[in-house]
Amino acid sequence: MSLALYFDYVIFPILTIAVLLVFIRLVKGPNVVDRVIALDLIITIGIGFITVYSIRTKEAIFLDVAVILALIAFLGTIAFSFYLEKTNNDD
Amino acid sequence: MMKHFLMNLLLSFIWVALTGSMYYSNFLFGFLLGFFILWIMNRNEDDQRYFFRVPKIISFLFYFLYEMIAANLQVAYDVITPKYFFKPGIVKYPMKARTDLEINLLSTIISMTPGTLILDVSEDKTTLYIHVMYLKDKDQFIAQMENGIEKKLLELLR
Amino acid sequence: MIDNLIINTVLIHLFTAITQLIFWRKTVTQRILSVAGCFFGLVSAIRLFYKVYNQGILTMNAANWDAPFGIVFVADLFSSTLVLLTAIAGISVSIFSATGIGRARMLYGYFPIFHFLMMGLNGAFLTGDIFNLYVWFEVIIISSFVLMTLGGRKAQLEGAVKYMAMNILASTFFLTGIGILYGLTGSLNMASLALEVPKISNQALINITAMFFLIGFGIKSAVFPLYFWLPSSYHTPPSAVAATFGGLLTKVGIYALFRVFTLIFTPDEFMKGTFIVLAVMTILTGAFGALIKDNIRRLFSYLIVCHIGFMIGGLGLYTTLAITGAIFYLIHDIMVKTNLFLIAGLIRQLRGSMHMGKLGGIYAAYPKISLLIAVVIFSLVGIPPLSGFWPKIYLFNASFASQQWFYVAAILIGSIVTLYVIAKFWAQVFWKDACDDEIIVDNFQNLSKFKKGLLVVPILLMASVSVYIGLNAEVIIQVSTRISNELMEKTPYIQAVLGT
Amino acid sequence: MELLLVFLIGVLYAAGVYLILRRSMVKLLLGIMLFGNATNILIFLLGNIVKGKPPIIGADFKVFQDIYADPIPQALILTAIVISFGLTAFAIVLLKRVYALINSDDLDDLNTPEEEDI
Amino acid sequence: MINILIAILSTVGALAILFASIGILRMPDFYLRLSVTVKAATLGIGLFLLCTAILFPDISVTTKAIAISFFLILTTPVAAHMIGRAAYKSGTPKWKGTVLDDLEKDYKNREDLQGIAKPETPEDSTIDPKK
Amino acid sequence: MRSSILQTASQYLLPILLLFSVFLLLRGHYYPGGGFVGGLVASIAFVLHSFANGTENTLKIVRYKPLSLIPIGLLIASLSMFMPVLLGLPVMTGLWFEEPIPVIGMIGSALFFDLGVYLVVIGVVLTILFTISQNTH
Amino acid sequence: MLFTVLSGLITSGLLIPFGKFFKSRWSVLLACLPILLFVYYFSYIPDISLGKTFNQEINWIPSLGVNLSFRLDGLSLLFSLLITGIGSLIVIYASAYLKGHQFLDRFFAYLLLFMSAMLGLVLSNNIILLFIFWELTSISSFFLIGFNNQQKESRKSALTALTITGIGGYFLLIGLLLIVYITGTASIDALFAQASFIQQHAYYPYIVGFVCLGAFTKSAQFPFHFWLPGAMKAPTPVSAYLHSATMVKAGIFVLARFTPILGNTELWSYTLLIAGGVTMVYAAIHSLFRTDLKGVLAYSTIAALGMLTFLLGLGTREALTAALVFIVAHALYKAALFLITGIIDHETGTRDLTLLSGLRKVLLPVFIAGTLAALSSAGLPLSIGFIGKDLIYEATLHGPQQLALYLTIIAVFTNVILVTVGFYAGIKPFLGPLPEAFQKVHLPYRAMWVPPLLLGILAFILGIFPHLLGGSLIQASLQVMDISTAPVNLKIWHGFNTVLLLSIGTLALGTIIYLVQKPTANKLAFIEKFNNLSPKHIFERMGALLLRFSDFYTNKIHNGYLRSYMLKIIIFAEVLIGYELLNSGPISIDFDKLSPISFYEGFNVLILIAAVLFTVSTRSRLSAVVGTSVIGYAICLIFVFYSAPDLAMTQFTIDTLTVVLFVLVLFRLPPFLNFANKLDKIRDGFVAISFGVILSIVALKVLQEPFETQVSDFYGQYAYSLAKGKNVVNVILVDFRGFDTMFEIVVLSIAALGVYSLLKLRLKSSEKE
Ligand code: NA
Ligand code: NA
């Protein structure tokens, strides 16, 4: 079994299942903070996805995207926290 | 100490330049080689801190890695088994770390370790509020932190 | 032939705007820069027009890449005429703004954005690349959003939200159309599209694409039933802004419709019919709206809609004669509509209101200004031999030839309603005594002579152009006819761009 | 894969339309954003889509050695994304102003009667 | 050889991520979810990056891999701390099995103190245009 | 909403992000990146800083009003667009120095153009976000 | 001729800067212009009498065939003389009548403008040019009628007049353009030759209809007559000029002009006969009941205009002769009567017939003038009116066999009443005792009472020496209108015959009615009860209805709700695109051309769709934002999968920034409210899904077409060698299509400026606009 096939049939499915689970949390909530961390985790898994994809296609260029994600993904979370601390009600 | 570090870096760069292959493995090899040469050369000098610290850092890293994997496994087990074993709580932890860098490194490390998470730092920067997943006993936890991670970290930094 | 002159008007406005940004909050400097920029823009536009008039289509390959690989700028007579008209309207608005716009707005970037808008207009007229046209459209709409909200009164915001929502929708349709066109032909250059599009095996797909452009540009040019943003918003911004909008913004939509539907798409019977139906409905809708509006800018807004129908109908007839008429109307309309909103601004300076019910007595107090305004509004009506009259003759003749009697009827109704509402406007605003109970705010009286001049001279300038268009219609007819021929016969355009 | 993207485009457009038909200005904005995304994917799809071959010439070459993804739609979408960011940012701030003014994001509350014209 | 190494590392990484996602779904309260997810996912990604570093013997790729891990380790705890604190302050409920909360009373004290000693003054909302 | 952890993090994230943004800017012609993304990353650096330390403090670091970056950026971009005209070439024609320069590679008008884009993007994003956050406090 | 037309225009233009001068008593100098013009045209009489015509043509707009082309023939000379002659008197009169008026200069500007327009109209040898002057008369009369613009009634009348004549004008234009369209020429000269071609053309009925509509509105034919009594709000000199001698005759002139082109067909004759007949009877009856002197004159004018139309419709040589003579006669006496009314109004302050009496004691010369005019109007032998009346009866009696009797009856009927109302206006105010109130009335300036006197005298001079008129002008005019060239011989005395009998009968009957029936307020009130049925009322009701409809339509369709606008736009798009889609043939999917679906790609799309649904359905704003972020990041992954790293980076950073923006802005917004009812949601959902489906199908179809890669191949080929870059996307952005980027950053900059100003700028209340 080549590495590519292994990735296609093992790694990617695991990652997709992971995303699915997180997405269920995102939909379920119940609070906005839950959704925010779910989003954060989805992005993190996305970084993993991109990394794996670049291994799978042997194109290192995609790692550049992952770098950006890793650097700035948390800004969204920070913004949400900022918002939530400002407004104590959880709309 | 800085002198030694820079010297070591210089040596590793020279090594890379000599061998002409820009790989990290090569650089790492150069660095270790340089470290060894420097250590040999400076065995008789007073300031030996550099040569102790490097192994300490490495050992700390391994310690951290070990903690992380162990805790991860514990959590993983808890996550996939139907029954919850954890006893969460928020602990007020009086830390020894004082400078911003120390506090930050400490909190990063605490947060990156499964089972613990920094929720807040008090405004006077003396206390951490840590969310702990497996809180058997507050004092025991505090003691474990003080003598474990924090101590090792501060040793490295000071 | 390669010529940087084409892009000069764009660059002049760009650099004017940038310089004004550097002189942020220096309102006097900005005013001077604005008028100077517009002046150079005008000079450059005149030079371009003459050159194109005498030498034919000019092109400039941006970044020195041959079409269709780079972005090409094309000045044919159509675009250079519009550039010229924009320059005239631009300098008028610029002079008017010097006193017509409050200082607070100038402090927050009125002038730079105005020049960006001018730049956008010129760019849109001159570009020969469909995606670049999209970019210009975005420059135009974003600057118009900003100008529209500048000041942030509630009515402005209301207008802006509607204006914005619908215009963004329009851009989306436009962009979707571009995407499809690219998917079908692999090209974005309009001349090369003109060659590629007829080669597509499934022409129905081309018709579908055309519909996206029709809707996108239709919204921009305020065609029924896509016009709603216009009467919702044009009465809200400062009059100098409304003048730019009223005179030029919808006309960019018209320009794009004419350009795209002559160069890239050739309307089939269904599309022509659609255009005619839209034209008729647009005229009627505008006319009905104009009949009932009391606020003069709302009234003018509906008149814009009404007269858009005239031009769209010209496109729907799709004969050289009809397009000549529509182009002539376009030329006339740009001058008059811009002026109308400047006049609205002047009226507000004179009387502090824009409600016909509250206005009055201007004729008694300011006879010369009133007569000047009369010239403009009767040009709008098309009282011969003023400018609005001649294009209608072409449109009538063309519809006779195509036997489009509904369109004839619509033009008739539109013209009659325009006549009626303008006469009513005159009677109410100029003849009637001002209401006693209403305290009249005459800001004009207290202005210095120079400032008064700044308000009146632009109106005079454009009124003179209107009168010139009317009295020397032959020249305009020559230009319109040539434009119309250029539009209907696309080979020279394609040759000029692709050099084949 | 194209079929899936085709379906996705449909969903995005439909959702965009549905949202812009709501009364809330926030939804309007979200709808506009979805519309923009839909258009971008449409453009992307209608170009030549190729997997895993970015239009970047290899380090050691002067021209492409292999097939590569169509760079034009990418450039167009990039431009479109940035432009719509500008528009969206402005629209969001407009929303803020509207909210400050009428204390709600209900578009119906924004309507100004004609009598309030100047 | 390298392939097998990569396969093992990536599998472990993927599983770590999977555990994180199961965790976020299954954990009974927000704080536990947060606590579980952050590190497991980071660990997983770290392992993936190790794979890339092994696969591409190029210095730039390795640098990137290191950079990504570094950035993640730098930012993730901060984000977790911020959202955790925000959640706490906005009253996100704790699991019923929570045994201890030192933060609660401290926050109460602080708020009381602020309420008396330092009334909250809104910052100047506009900048003087002349500046 | 001050957090010492975030504040400290932002202290060292700011230079890292800025460095990274310049990296993206310079390599854009050869690898993914360029003025846009570079500018966006740079502005995110400041935005992050402002989240941690307050907009006023970030403005002190920036020293200039972000608004003033816009005309500078526009000027650089438009001059690099306009330069060829002075040489009798069509607008925007690429001009290049003969020899490549280490690290950066070929230097040409395209790079200046990208630099303009970079500055404008920073100016724009910061103007927008800082104006909003000043307005929100 | 061009100069004569322009002279008035120029003078009126000069009045704007030099108005002050002419506001003074020097205003009378302005009369020099019409007098000179009168003399100028007078000098043409000998030549024209010989049957010559004079043409002048200056190119103006050759592309449209519209040239400054003038033609002086009998008809135009006749009208020119009337226009300039009466115009001279009016100017003199007005300079006294409006002495000291604040806006005298404007008045004269309009008046001269009007005069020039009339001159141009009658002299035009080009029907488009004719139309231009036609519209100019409408506009200048608008200003003249509304001259007393402080009065609401005055403004309303001006508006009504302009609306009605404007509507007519546009119809006339259509008629004229149709003529030009079918014949290819606008030259009246040329059209004479094409008469039979036009009359056989399928569009002929429309042409007649449109031209007549135009002429009828202008010359106040039933049912468009009502603007004319309203127009009496104008200063009396204006009424005298516009509504007696000139403007209303523009319609008659056009009918006369087109008689040789469109005339001599049943359609033409019946149209004119019926319109004219109804008008004259209707107006005559009405005139009898008016108590306002001007009202009386207005309705009698309408009746006279009806009569003229009627005669033109009759179309025989006799009828045309009668019409021409009657035009002159009517112009003379009606102008005089108006001027007299003006004097009475000016001196006594009232025009109420029931109040006025005995004025002969104070206004003797005026009384003389009035009597002369009234007698001419009555058709007393030796007056031109008598000759006119004779000719009318002759014409009706010799009309078509089966109609002659009826035509004569209505002609007699109308004439009888015209006699009566002529007496009302010219004599009645002067007879009887002088009431207390008018004791102090004194004779006005000479400039005011001389003109009517002159006109009255002229009526008799022409009556006594009819060949002055007949041999020259009428003859020449007829020559233009009629093919036959038999000499015209106007006589005072035709001998004892039926016509004489009718004339005398008319006079007698008219006198009897004058003596028996007095207009009173009661009678007026009685007739006004029928106002609900009057055309004016019907027009006003239609106007109101139109306004109500406009209001309903505009507010219905433009209802203020953005979502409703959006809905309309989307549905419109769906209809158009859907229609074309139906024409585009069946969908066929060529699966070979599609790339295979990987598991993770499909999954990514599914997540994306789920996120879309979540965003649409969530009730929390913040959650919706979270949802859109997921969408954005999933799209980012699509870009990664499909080789677009640059795009992915940009999409990601921008999405993150958008989230930050949203979050910063969403402070304290209340939760989404559920406004829409279920039905609306279902409708919107249906529309939305249809739109999605349509777009999907379009995309699918486009995908099936072969893809051209010429341009992207070029980019790939030369990105490095020519543009020195390896990231082709970036090379496109900064080089190949750098212009897009340049102006895209401008877009960004503008957005930033906009945000800045939107949040920082607060207007002071003084800067509302
Ligand atoms: Na790039
Ligand atoms: Na395709």
Side-chain angles (χ1 to χ4, degrees), chain A residues 1-88:
Chain A
M1 192 166 165
S2 75
L3 197 60
L5 279 178
Y6 183 73
F7 270 61
D8 279 356
Y9 288 103
V10 180
I11 307 295
F12 279 122
I14 294 177
L15 288 180
T16 42
I17 290 167
V19 173
L20 179 71
L21 298 177
V22 183
F23 189 76
I24 292 171
R25 172 54 67 203
L26 185 134
V27 174
K28 268 172 72 177
N31 296 309
V32 170
V33 278
D34 295 301
R35 298 197 165 117
V36 172
I37 58 164
L39 177 67
D40 194 73
L41 186 55
I42 285 181
I43 299 173
T44 315
I45 300 176
I47 299 174
F49 238 112
I50 295 171
T51 318
V52 172
Y53 188 73
S54 79
I55 298 172
R56 162 74 178 78
T57 57
K58 297 200 164 54
E59 271 287 357
I61 278 172
F62 294 121
L63 281 180
D64 291 14
V65 184
V67 178
I68 299 230
L69 260 70
L71 254 180
I72 61 176
F74 81 118
L75 190 76
T77 311
I78 304 275
F80 278 112
S81 346
F82 191 79
Y83 169 87
L84 290 166
E85 290 207 6
K86 285 263 167 190
T87 55
N88 277 338

Side-chain angles (χ1 to χ4, degrees), chain C residues 7 21 24 62-63 65 69-71 73 104-105 108 116 119 129 131-132 135-136 139 142-143 146 149-151 153 162 165-166 169 173 180 182-186 188 201-202 204-205 207-208 211-212 214-215 219 224-228 232 239 270 278 281 285 288-289 291-292 297 302 348 354 363 367-368 378 381 383-385 389-390 392-394 396 400-401 403 405 408 412 415-416 419-420 423-424 426-427 431-433 471 473-474 477-478, chain G residues 16-17 60-64 66 102-103 106 110 128 131-132 135-136 139 142-143 146 149-150 155 158-159 162-163 166-167 170-171 173-174 177-178 181 203 546-547 549-551 553-555 557-558 560-562 565-566 568-570 572-573 576-577 579-581 583-584 691 695 698 701-702 705-708 710-712 714-715 718 722-723 735-740 742-744 746-747 750-751 753-754 756-758 760-761 763 767-769:
Chain C
I7 202 75
L21 282 180
W24 184 246
W65 299 108
F69 305 116
I71 292 173
F73 278 73
R105 285 195 169 93
Y108 285 91
F116 280 134
M119 177 192 79
D129 184 282
F131 187 79
N132 195 239
V135 174
W136 290 118
V139 171
I142 186 75
S143 23
V146 177
T149 51
L150 202 59
R153 293 178 304 106
K162 288 172 184 164
M166 281 180 255
L169 193 63
F173 273 104
I180 297 174
Y182 178 77
L184 289 171
T185 63
L188 297 164
S201 54
N202 189 351
L205 279 179
N207 286 345
I208 292 172
M211 286 306 167
F212 281 93
L214 169 66
I215 291 158
I219 296 177
F224 177 92
L226 315 167
Y227 70 97
F228 301 101
S232 304
S239 288
F270 173 75
L278 294 186
M281 289 309 293
T285 306
F288 291 143
L291 273 177
I292 58 161
R297 288 202 301 190
Y302 274 105
R348 208 187 109 75
M354 297 213 186
Y363 181 55
K368 281 171 197 167
F378 287 109
V381 175
I383 296 295
F389 174 65
W390 305 111
K392 279 186 209 161
I393 293 191
Y394 272 96
F396 278 133
F400 294 158
Q403 308 215 325
W405 305 114
V408 172
L412 261 182
S415 304
I416 289 166
L419 171 71
Y420 172 77
K424 192 176 82 177
W426 175 263
W431 273 353
K432 184 184 68 188
D433 277 339
L471 295 184
E474 181 62 26
I477 289 173
Q478 295 294 339
Chain G
I16 296 170
W60 183 23
I61 305 174
S63 312
L64 272 175
V66 181
Q102 195 186 351
F103 299 130
R106 297 182 202 174
Y110 300 143
I128 305 295
F131 177 77
I132 291 172
E135 288 288 278
L136 274 182
I139 272 301
F142 171 70
F143 283 99
N149 49 52
Q150 308 81 1
R155 297 194 300 268
L159 198 54
L162 184 65
T163 311
I167 292 174
Y170 279 111
F171 280 109
L173 178 64
I174 298 284
L177 288 178
L178 275 176
Y181 173 66
Y203 289 165
L546 178 67
L547 281 183
F549 171 75
S550 303
D551 199 62
Y553 173 83
T554 306
N555 290 328
I557 190 167
H558 192 250
Y561 298 117
L562 178 61
Y565 307 156
M566 292 298 219
K568 284 167 197 152
I569 293 176
I570 297 289
F572 179 69
L576 282 189
I577 300 170
Y579 172 84
E580 294 288 3
L581 209 52
N583 290 342
S584 67
F691 194 78
L695 264 291
V698 170
K701 291 204 161 192
V702 176
E705 296 293 316
F707 184 73
E708 230 4 272
Q710 185 202 5
V711 181
S712 56
F714 178 89
Y715 288 169
Y718 297 107
L722 294 180
D735 198 335
F736 289 118
R737 299 187 62 88
F739 251 69
D740 287 346
M742 177 67 226
F743 297 103
E744 162 197 357
V746 170
V747 171
I750 299 169
L753 289 176
Y756 189 78
S757 67
L758 198 56
K760 297 225 161 172
L761 172 58
L763 289 184
E767 301 173 299
K768 261 201 321 198
E769 204 210 13

